[in-house]
Structure formats: C-alpha cells, structure tokens
Amino acid sequence: MAPLHFSPLSARAALSSSAFHALFKSSSRFSWKSTGKLQQTLAGSIEKTGVGLHSGKVSTVKIRPHLAGGGRCFELQSRFVPASIDHVEESPLCTTLSKDGYRVRTVEHLLSALEATGVDNCRIEVVGLDAGDRDVEVPILDGSAGEWVEAIEGVGLKVAKDAGGNSLEKMAPYLDEPVHVWRNDSFVVAFPSSQVHISCGINFPHVPSIGCQWFSASIEYDSFYKREIAPSRTFCVYEEVEKMRSSGLIKGGSPENALVCSADKGWLNPPLRFNEEPCRHKALDLIGDLSLFARFGSQGLPVGHIVAYKSGHALHAGFLRCLL
C-alpha cells in the first residue's frame, strides 16, 4: 500500500494557486488568509518510545517528513487517521482521534509541539507492543511537550514540496467575529485579533496550592513556546487518583510524568518549573487541541484572542465545531 495516498493533495501533481485556495472554505466566523510563509515539514525522522498515560502500555512514535498539502496524519498499520477535528472522538482526560476502527489517544502534547514549531506536514506512525493493536496511545514522556520540541529541533525543518516538486503557501484561519462555547461555568471565547493571543484560567478552590491561576501570552515565536509553555507538565489531584484508576485511566501515570498535588499537603513532587505550571499546561493542551482545525498543511490555531476558563478537551473540540 502506497503510504502517501490518504490526502487529496498527496497523490497528484501540483495544484494551481487558484485551485489550492479553493480548498479553503471560509465562513461568516473566520476567513482563510495567507501567513506569508511556505509550508514546512521535518528535515529528518524522529523516533521516541515511552509509556501511555492512560493505557500504561509502551508504544513507539515515528515521525517522518510529508508532502506539502498532506498535513499531519497518524498512521496505524498502514491505515491513516488525519489530525483533524473531523476525526475527534470524545474521551475522558485526553484527545482521541479515530477512523474506520483505528484509534490513537493522547495526541494533544505532540500536536501542540508540532503546531507551535511549524511542522505543518508529517506522518506520525504509532506502534504498540502488540503489532496488531488498533487502539494505541502516544507516550506521555515527562508529561510536557518539551521532549517533542527538542526532538523537532534536533532534526530541523525544511520547506515542504508537493508531488510535483512545488512549495505551497501556508494559510491560517483568521477570526472575523466573536465565537464562544460554554458548559456550566467553563467556557472558550475568541475575539478577532491581528495575532494569536491565548489566555487560560483554572480554578481549584478545594486545592489551595493550585487555587485560581491565569496565564496569558501572544504566541508569535516558537522560541517563546519552547521556553514558556512546552516544559509545563500535566498534573492531577492526589485525592482523585484512585477514582481515576478505578475508571481505567492514568494506568501509566507516575510522579515522573505528572505533577501531583494534595488538597491537604500541597505539591507531593516539587519543584514546579513555573509558579503557574498547571495553567501553562492548560495552554499547551489548548494549542494541541486547536491545531486540529488545520487543513492541507495550514495553521490550525485560529488567529485571534482565545480565552479559555476551566476548559477541557471536549470543550476545545466543541469550540472548533462551532467555528465550522
């Protein structure tokens, strides 16, 4: 089976500029515009092995360069699952993609790193210990996106070419009007802006060491993401661990890949990398989830000021579906 035939752009010669732009359907809420940049892909291949946060199973991820216009796509047993909102399956405490009975879980940290560092096109093969497994999980590594960013920097980037040997411009979705979704007291709201700005808030009144936190920043350069967001690790409340495990979650969780905070005793595995590390990690997750708006090698993260309060993966997906 030819490995590059999942995308409408992958198996055909270069499209004309007008035909390429016709693939991007704007709506009353957003418009696709050129970023002034060319689409990129990896200059080499990346391979990392580790344990899955929820399954507890070991898997290996191999990330390879891809054709311009191919976008980001997961590969399981030569079957493709595009990293797109069209294939998001609601699941607890992680983002899951599925297609035709093949499923890959906990994709958000890896996708966050790929989006922020400008890897617009790549193939991501995920292989579990059981080669025939149709349900796999991306390794949690240290609980952040830091190791993915380091691996990407290690191989570098190059301008991606399509099947005809031509480069394609990188498009981005620009918000034209405010958009919001909410569930109880959680919400995601976005306003038109000339640049990407993210504000994230969390509130754990029953866990004083976390409490209410906010983190806000303009996401203009990958160096900022690498320094201020990527190192932030996932976290959990100690008193909720057994309940999650009894529900079949966090089987691979440990103090080595997650921050653990007790309502009574505070942080059990300090030090924190940032004072508001839990909130920064929410920004990391948000970038990974919103990257799923990408089409044909475009930017996924909408250009606008995005404010998320007490949001989670399901609400992030709902926000993208609202945009559509």
Side-chain angles (χ1 to χ4, degrees):
M1 179 177 179
L4 297 178
H5 289 176
F6 75 92
S7 165
L9 295 183
S10 299
R12 64 178 62 171
L15 293 173
S16 67
S17 176
S18 60
F20 176 68
H21 283 90
L23 294 170
F24 293 90
K25 306 293 186 182
S26 298
S27 75
S28 62
R29 292 175 170 169
F30 73 94
S31 301
W32 289 103
K33 300 178 183 179
S34 174
T35 62
K37 302 176 183 178
L38 296 176
Q39 292 185 20
Q40 298 183 113
T41 188
L42 294 169
S45 296
I46 293 170
E47 181 172 326
K48 278 194 167 292
T49 298
V51 65
L53 173 63
H54 296 297
S55 66
K57 296 180 179 179
V58 173
S59 65
T60 296
V61 172
K62 302 175 183 178
I63 313 175
R64 301 184 177 92
H66 195 16
L67 296 177
R72 295 181 285 256
C73 189
F74 288 88
E75 180 181 351
L76 289 75
Q77 303 177 45
S78 298
R79 302 294 182 94
F80 297 104
V81 183
S84 166
I85 184 61
D86 298 332
H87 299 287
V88 171
E89 176 183 287
E90 187 161 347
S91 57
L93 301 181
C94 71
T95 296
T96 298
L97 299 171
S98 66
K99 183 182 180 185
D100 300 332
Y102 291 83
R103 180 180 293 106
V104 55
R105 292 195 282 171
T106 319
V107 299
E108 57 270 19
H109 298 173
L110 172 55
L111 289 179
S112 183
L114 293 171
E115 175 78 7
T117 56
V119 183
D120 308 309
N121 305 281
C122 63
R123 294 167 52 210
I124 309 163
E125 182 182 8
V126 187
V127 181
L129 289 179
D130 180 357
D133 197 349
R134 293 187 172 196
D135 190 332
V136 296
E137 185 175 15
V138 174
I140 190 63
L141 302 180
D142 75 339
S144 76
E147 290 188 40
W148 293 119
V149 171
E150 290 176 4
I152 293 165
E153 288 192 335
V155 299
L157 303 181
K158 66 179 181 181
V159 173
K161 305 289 185 178
D162 66 10
N166 299 306
S167 58
L168 294 175
E169 66 180 321
K170 181 174 179 176
M171 307 292 285
Y174 281 72
L175 291 173
D176 292 326
E177 63 178 36
V179 179
H180 68 279
V181 294
W182 72 94
R183 182 177 299 168
N184 299 322
D185 62 342
S186 304
F187 65 82
V188 179
V189 60
F191 306 93
S193 174
S194 60
Q195 62 184 10
V196 177
H197 193 100
I198 287 178
S199 298
C200 285
I202 60 174
N203 192 14
F204 289 77
H206 59 296
V207 188
S209 292
I210 301 177
C212 183
Q213 301 180 3
W214 280 93
F215 174 75
S216 186
S218 294
I219 313 297
E220 293 187 75
Y221 306 104
D222 56 2
S223 59
F224 177 87
Y225 175 88
K226 174 187 176 182
R227 185 178 67 252
E228 304 292 340
I229 296 177
S232 303
R233 295 161 291 177
T234 192
F235 66 98
C236 68
V237 177
Y238 175 75
E239 287 78 8
E240 298 174 359
V241 168
E242 288 307 317
K243 180 180 179 181
M244 288 189 286
R245 284 188 169 157
S246 65
S247 299
L249 301 170
I250 64 168
K251 295 178 180 178
S254 75
E256 283 69 49
N257 57 35
L259 289 168
V260 184
C261 192
S262 167
D264 298 324
K265 300 179 181 179
W267 294 105
L268 302 183
N269 55 338
L272 273 63
R273 294 172 180 172
F274 307 97
N275 289 334
E276 68 285 84
E277 186 170 355
C279 197
R280 291 184 186 228
H281 185 80
K282 289 295 186 179
L284 186 159
D285 280 348
L286 179 65
I287 293 169
D289 289 343
L290 298 190
S291 77
L292 295 167
F293 202 65
R295 294 285 187 273
F296 309 113
S298 74
Q299 177 174 310
L301 195 58
V303 179
H305 186 176
I306 303 162
V307 183
Y309 178 69
K310 296 178 65 174
S311 62
H313 302 295
L315 201 58
H316 298 163
F319 171 77
L320 293 184
R321 293 190 178 106
C322 183
L323 273 184
L324 290 173

